[in-house]
Amino acid sequence: ENYEYLQRIMAERSRDEVISVKDENHVNRIINYSDIMYIKSDGNYIRIYLGNQQGNIRMRGKLVTFMEKLPEGFMQVSRSYGINRSYVKSVHGTKIIMVDNALFQIPATITARVKKEITKK
């Protein structure tokens, strides 16, 4: 129920805000920023996990480069992961739990900064 509400709000806020990516099969895909839950580094590739049970997209690239293209509300929480703070369900110590129950470990050295950024409105 809360998840669906969040999805509606995010879709309304970013109807025209999209990014074009070329997946691993060289097919151009248009993605709404609000659909991106988190991004995972996968060697020379990154995997973009989408909300609303849309699956994920694997594309060639580096996490840090992709994160630079994203608007406010996205943050890199480790070498391997970037998140959309709108999809954060909770933060417990050095762990972030996403709405799909994915769990991310935050490095202890940046935990305070990450928590502050996640709770920012």
Side-chain angles (χ1 to χ4, degrees), residues 54-114:
Q54 297 177 58
N56 62 71
I57 298 169
R58 188 171 186 243
M59 63 175 275
R60 191 162 186 75
K62 294 289 182 187
L63 178 63
V64 68
T65 306
F66 188 76
M67 292 299 296
E68 290 171 355
K69 299 175 185 177
L70 298 175
E72 184 178 336
F74 288 88
M75 62 185 305
Q76 191 165 343
V77 294
S78 71
R79 284 187 187 190
S80 302
Y81 293 99
I83 64 167
N84 180 341
R85 72 176 186 217
S86 299
Y87 285 92
V88 173
K89 184 176 177 180
S90 62
V91 180
H92 298 286
T94 60
K95 294 179 175 72
I96 297 173
I97 302 171
M98 304 299 286
V99 294
D100 69 344
N101 292 319
L103 180 71
F104 300 111
Q105 185 72 38
I106 312 167
T109 55
I110 64 168
T111 300
R113 182 176 58 82
V114 169

Side-chain angles (χ1 to χ4, degrees), residues 30-31 40 58 117:
I30 306 295
I31 307 169
K40 178 184 176 192
R58 188 171 186 243
E117 184 68 24

Side-chain angles (χ1 to χ4, degrees), residues 9-24:
I9 296 299
M10 289 174 53
E12 289 172 11
R13 287 185 186 164
S14 62
R15 283 189 186 141
D16 299 323
E17 296 179 31
V18 297
I19 188 170
S20 176
V21 299
K22 191 177 285 194
D23 70 17
E24 65 186 329

